[in-house]
Amino acid sequence: MKFHDQDVNQHEPQQQCLYRDSRANAELICSRLGNSSDVSVRTLHLNRGHSGREMVIRIIFLDGMVNNQVLEESIIPAIQAAPPATEDCSLPEYFSNHVLSAGQIKTAGELSGVVKDILSGCALLLFDGCDQALSLAIQGYEKKGIGDTKTETVIRGPQEGFTDDLGTNITMIRRRIKDERLRIVTKSVGRVTQTDVSVVYLEGMADHEVLKQIELMFEELGLKTVLEGEFVEEYLQRDKYTVFPTVFNTERPDSIAAGLSEGRVAIMVDGTPFVLVVPSLFMDFIQSAEDSYQPYLFSSLIRVLRLVSVMISIFAPGLYIAITTFHQDLLPTRLLLSIMFQREGVPFPAFVEATLMEITFEIIREAGIRMPRNIGQAVSIVGTLIVGQAAVDAGIVSAGMVIVVAITGISSFVIPAYNMSIPVRLIRFLFMGAAASFGIYGITVGFLIMLVHLCSLDSAGVPYMRPYAPYLKKEQADAVFRSPYWSSTRNKRSRRRA
Amino acid sequence: MRRTVLLIVVLVLLITPLTGCWSRKELGDLAVAIGLGIDKTDKGYRVTVQIVAPSLAAASSGGGTGGPPALAVATESVTIMEAVRKLTTMLPRKIYLSHLSILLLDEATARRASASRWISCSGIMRSGLTSIWLSSGKGLPMMPYPL
């Protein structure tokens, strides 16, 4: 929805400093925030016995953004109980050094700076007769707790997933990588949303080129709103005319920890549990976190199975079309006859039939994702009974076609990364078209074009099809086949010992 | 650069309709021949083709116990090829010989070099799939059900 096309924050306000009067400052800040109803100003009058002068301290904060308990039980009593300041230091300095117990305190004197602090959940302390203010980082908004991963479930392995809160997510990474080289660089992007985006990497492991590229991307990023990783991801994928994803995203802290220790760079956006990883290669989208937590033989087989599934979900409908309309001699006689009998009475050519069914399946899939949970039953009944059984009985599609569409659909669910199943779904239709006009020859040429395209891609400078194109022997340990953790290709130290 | 890419895309898209779906044959337009009988006659050859009839299958819902229903059509012409081609005029579908499983020849045909050359060179035979049977008598005997 777009109400205003023009930027809300168009003109950068000129630097304005705070007054020396706390009431004037409070009014200034309140009016800057449009006297919004959640802006609270708390005025404390401190009676100073010996000087006889009453001192006023104002606390400005946003309701719900600060931790009320800290404010009420620690900050305010501390200020009220504070002994009079000695003359040799300024009030903010005195309070931050001797009175307040909050963790992060900083002094600020510039209006837009303090407004930004308030907006990010700090409590601002204004003093009478002083043009400096103190901002206390006592953020305490309601946030979702750490829960299970929703999109990448595993049978064995870590169960917790990232949350919507950036701070919590960074902690989850810190807990997994206790290495002093871990670097976290946070920037706020989005002119309106001021979203915190953290770049996380291991110093010395991460490629400088990649870091430079990310830095460049942040400079180019001129968005008004940044609400999810995709806003950043599209900038990273710029100049790449492809349907394949070159940025991996995951909500599993263990996947991120593994990626970081391999020298990848993670980009975390506040407000979403999905963390981006660059560089990401084709094989990353075929691998699941669970592969590392199951026996290596089993994991390797499962990965082969996944690759086969990718192939099936790209080629199955195309092959069905090609074989039934061009290469009937490829089928065993009985199978050909059985398909013929099924298709008897189907009014459409195979291509139209396949397209019809594939689109129907995509509609059911989209409905399944988008609809409210409690009407899920209805859609599955309609999906299976109406589209499956009734369409065959009515002679609109053949039973064989339903089987092909079903196996195609199921295969595409095997792909662990959702953003990889999207290009697979798209390409499927291209292959169907190629099959309908050229037969298996069309599929072959199409496959070659796809392969060349995949090999031409790169993710942040790393060839997309690595370690296969270029072929790197020492990286084969964790590509399609996962070698055991004790194997010599994986671990140089064990080889030396042996 | 962008112009070239666009041009290539347009050209590729144009190729798709230009082929006219060469050698595309929908299953509904095919009459799958599973048996072919050739007899020498005075005029030339008499060719009998046994085709699977899916429309009969649809009528009798499944074809019963004996497998798919089939029907036989026969023509007579000077050469075998001509007779096979002539069959097309008698049927609404194109005869599809790739799945031929039985080739039934009478003795006179089998002895003729031209006939055996046609059989080996016309590409109707698929090794491992088609079996050749010889009949001793004249005239086409009842073709055994091949599947």
Side-chain angles (χ1 to χ4, degrees), chain A residues 360 364 378-394 397:
Chain A
T360 313
I364 293 173
V379 169
S380 53
I381 290 169
V382 170
T384 50
L385 287 186
I386 314 289
V387 177
Q389 195 58 43
V392 173
D393 286 347
V397 292

Side-chain angles (χ1 to χ4, degrees), chain A residues 195-256:
Chain A
T195 315
D196 283 336
V197 177
S198 295
V199 178
V200 185
Y201 60 96
L202 278 176
E203 182 78 53
M205 302 275 273
D207 190 6
H208 285 290
E209 283 303 309
V210 176
L211 291 172
K212 207 179 283 174
Q213 214 169 317
I214 291 169
E215 211 169 293
L216 218 72
M217 183 270 302
F218 275 122
E219 274 169 29
E220 287 172 357
L221 198 118
L223 287 175
K224 211 162 72 177
T225 48
V226 173
L227 302 171
E228 218 272 340
E230 177 71 14
F231 291 71
V232 177
E233 185 178 326
E234 284 183 11
Y235 270 87
L236 284 169
Q237 294 218 65
R238 197 169 175 173
D239 307 327
K240 293 197 179 77
Y241 298 102
T242 180
V243 288
F244 289 97
T246 55
V247 179
F248 185 72
N249 67 68
T250 179
E251 55 166 344
R252 298 190 59 85
D254 51 322
S255 300
I256 293 295

Side-chain angles (χ1 to χ4, degrees), chain A residues 317 354-362 404-405 408 428-429 432:
Chain A
T355 314
L356 210 69
M357 279 307 283
E358 286 294 344
I359 290 175
T360 313
F361 175 73
E362 292 298 332
V404 170
V405 171
T408 310
R428 176 188 304 159
F429 287 96
M432 281 159 60

Side-chain angles (χ1 to χ4, degrees), chain A residues 241 323-334 336-337 339-341 343-344 348-351 433-434 436-438, chain B residues 2 15-16 19 21-27 30 32 34 52-55 57-58 68-69 93 96 98-99 126 129 147:
Chain A
Y241 298 102
I323 289 175
T324 54
T325 53
F326 286 91
H327 314 281
Q328 289 90 352
D329 26 11
L330 281 178
L331 291 170
T333 308
R334 279 180 177 279
L336 174 74
L337 293 181
I339 291 174
M340 255 183 113
F341 291 156
R343 281 193 53 80
E344 196 64 28
F348 308 112
F351 174 66
S437 43
F438 302 105
Chain B
R2 182 154 277 196
I15 291 172
T16 318
T19 59
C21 298
W22 190 297
S23 78
R24 166 176 164 268
K25 32 194 191 294
E26 283 291 334
L27 284 181
L30 294 182
V32 176
I34 42 182
V52 179
S55 44
R93 296 172 175 213
Y96 188 63
S98 289
H99 279 275
R126 289 178 67 187
L129 198 65
L147 283 172

Side-chain angles (χ1 to χ4, degrees), chain A residues 27 30 49 116 206 213 236 248 265 269 302 355 397 429 447 457:
Chain A
E27 275 167 9
C30 286
K116 207 178 156 188
Q213 214 169 317
L236 284 169
F248 185 72
V265 181
V269 178
I302 289 292
T355 314
V397 292
F429 287 96
F447 178 65
L457 285 178

Side-chain angles (χ1 to χ4, degrees), chain A residues 296-306 480-482:
Chain A
Y296 61 93
L297 193 62
F298 179 71
S299 298
S300 303
L301 288 174
I302 289 292
R303 280 185 190 170
V304 172
L305 190 75
R306 278 198 212 114
V480 170
F481 299 102
R482 177 171 91 68

